[in-house]
Amino acid sequence: MSQEVKQESALRRFFNGLWFAITLFGRVFRILLLVALVLGLLLGIVYTLELDDKVREQFEGRRWELPARVFARPLDLYEGQQLFADHLEQELKLLNYRSVDKPIETGQYHRNGSKFVVNTRGFQFADDKEPARSINVNVASGKVSTLAYADGKNPLDLMRLEPVLIGNFYPRQNEDRVLVRQQDVPPLLISGLVAVEDKKFYEHQGVNPMAIGRALVANVKAGHTVQGGSTLTQQLVKNFYLTNERSWHRKLKEATMAFLLEMRYTKQDIMEAYLNEIHLGQDGDRAIHGFGLAAQFYFNRPVWELKPDQIALLIGLAKGAGYYDPRLHPDRALTRRNLVLQVMLNEKAITPAIYADALEQPLGVSEKNRRAIARSRLTWIWCASNCSAITKKRTCVAKA
């Protein structure tokens, strides 16, 4: 056998052995890859089930620890009660009622001498619910002479104004909120949120890939973060379940939980939770959560009394409550509010007339410590059932 034949035979055996080794390795690799995929799938299923349990446990259980609220004694109104007109107006002001020429909304009143027209807000007392009503109150010689419905058709034997809030006992998280239902808030708040924060809210399943893609392109072009792609559901998950950690793992977890939330609950459930959970400000150590409390914190009124410009300001705070704080950064807040109004106009959430009127309004934010001042000073305390007349005596404060 020639030398060339021997070399060719050796090369053939070498390549055959190499091919066998590659084939064997390929089979082992495919098996290992398949095992890894199966294990990864099983781990993913287990992880998803754990997240699903977490989503259900908190969303269906006690979602929030609410502070215990302490109220003063409410003012009872009835004919013959000892009361002066100035004292009634003082009480209305403490409750942040607004004096207008013609009351048409709750939280408004008109005074003409000793005669009042009051549109009350109503209140859920422990023993009964006081409905919102429009009433006429006449005060003469230090007494309530007439109490009736504003339409003049029916007398009114007894009614109670809502009590003044004098203090809170906060839970461990030091979070504060006033829970609202979706039917309690102005429809413009819902449509405005959808227009500004998540136009496809009623169409997606928790995550909007198109919004994420647009945000990614915009951020790459700008060289820094200028646009977010999170849906309202993702924002709720981040606030409700997760932290502000910036990582791919947290974003993946957020997207998974948003999908699970959408699978289990209705859009109304998710929107209602968002309305109560979103962080909208800070009052020292107290975190202001939800639009119910934010309406009181910034405007001294319940959420259903908000005007379009006020709604736009609160919606704007969802992007960054600290950065757009209207008390600390009024110029930023005004610019953001006007941008929100523009978006609401573009999305036909408001008419051009409403937009033009809202654009002319100032921020109109109340003094931050107004409620604290009202609580701490010796104001007129209603003690008609315990004192001979309304008094400033400190002894009546304990009975309030």
Side-chain angles (χ1 to χ4, degrees), residues 295-339:
Q296 296 181 3
F297 181 64
Y298 291 110
F299 300 112
N300 280 325
R301 62 179 64 188
V303 66
W304 55 84
E305 293 180 7
L306 292 176
K307 303 296 184 183
D309 58 290
Q310 297 168 333
I311 290 174
L313 177 62
L314 296 188
I315 291 175
L317 291 176
K319 185 176 181 180
Y323 187 80
Y324 295 107
D325 188 321
R327 296 189 178 102
L328 298 178
H329 311 290
D331 292 338
R332 288 181 195 168
L334 185 62
T335 301
R336 176 65 181 164
R337 184 204 72 176
N338 292 346
L339 177 60

Side-chain angles (χ1 to χ4, degrees), residues 258-397:
F259 177 75
L260 293 171
L261 204 61
E262 291 272 358
M263 290 290 290
R264 287 198 170 274
Y265 305 102
T266 66
K267 292 290 187 180
Q268 180 173 340
D269 291 333
I270 294 170
M271 176 61 77
E272 198 165 279
Y274 182 92
L275 291 172
N276 288 300
E277 175 59 27
I278 191 68
H279 178 253
L280 294 173
Q282 200 72 27
D283 182 18
D285 293 334
R286 179 177 68 136
I288 306 299
H289 284 263
F291 287 91
L293 181 60
Q296 296 181 3
F297 181 64
Y298 291 110
F299 300 112
N300 280 325
R301 62 179 64 188
V303 66
W304 55 84
E305 293 180 7
L306 292 176
K307 303 296 184 183
D309 58 290
Q310 297 168 333
I311 290 174
L313 177 62
L314 296 188
I315 291 175
L317 291 176
K319 185 176 181 180
Y323 187 80
Y324 295 107
D325 188 321
R327 296 189 178 102
L328 298 178
H329 311 290
D331 292 338
R332 288 181 195 168
L334 185 62
T335 301
R336 176 65 181 164
R337 184 204 72 176
N338 292 346
L339 177 60
V340 169
L341 287 170
Q342 182 65 59
V343 173
M344 292 167 69
L345 175 65
N346 295 343
E347 296 298 319
K348 296 180 172 54
I350 56 176
T351 64
I354 292 176
Y355 169 75
D357 179 70
L359 208 61
E360 295 178 355
Q361 302 303 317
L363 287 177
V365 176
S366 63
E367 294 180 17
K368 186 175 181 179
N369 61 346
R370 182 175 178 180
R371 191 179 70 182
I373 293 173
R375 290 199 309 265
S376 61
R377 69 188 181 185
L378 287 176
T379 55
W380 295 100
I381 304 297
W382 307 108
C383 302
S385 61
N386 295 286
C387 309
S388 59
I390 298 169
T391 178
K392 285 184 179 178
K393 290 183 180 179
R394 190 177 293 271
T395 54
C396 283
V397 176

Side-chain angles (χ1 to χ4, degrees), residues 221-281:
K221 287 182 177 179
H224 60 280
T225 302
V226 295
Q227 183 177 333
S230 296
T231 63
L232 282 176
T233 312
Q234 287 177 275
Q235 294 178 40
L236 173 61
V237 166
K238 183 180 71 173
N239 281 269
F240 201 52
Y241 298 101
L242 306 177
T243 66
N244 289 325
E245 173 194 359
R246 292 180 178 271
S247 67
W248 285 105
H249 172 263
R250 204 270 296 166
K251 292 297 291 184
L252 179 61
K253 189 176 182 179
E254 175 188 293
T256 304
M257 294 180 78
F259 177 75
L260 293 171
L261 204 61
E262 291 272 358
M263 290 290 290
R264 287 198 170 274
Y265 305 102
T266 66
K267 292 290 187 180
Q268 180 173 340
D269 291 333
I270 294 170
M271 176 61 77
E272 198 165 279
Y274 182 92
L275 291 172
N276 288 300
E277 175 59 27
I278 191 68
H279 178 253
L280 294 173

Side-chain angles (χ1 to χ4, degrees), residues 146-164:
T146 305
L147 178 65
Y149 288 97
D151 58 14
K153 297 180 180 178
N154 299 304
L156 186 60
D157 295 329
L158 172 69
M159 71 146 296
R160 290 185 287 182
L161 289 175
E162 65 269 27
V164 176

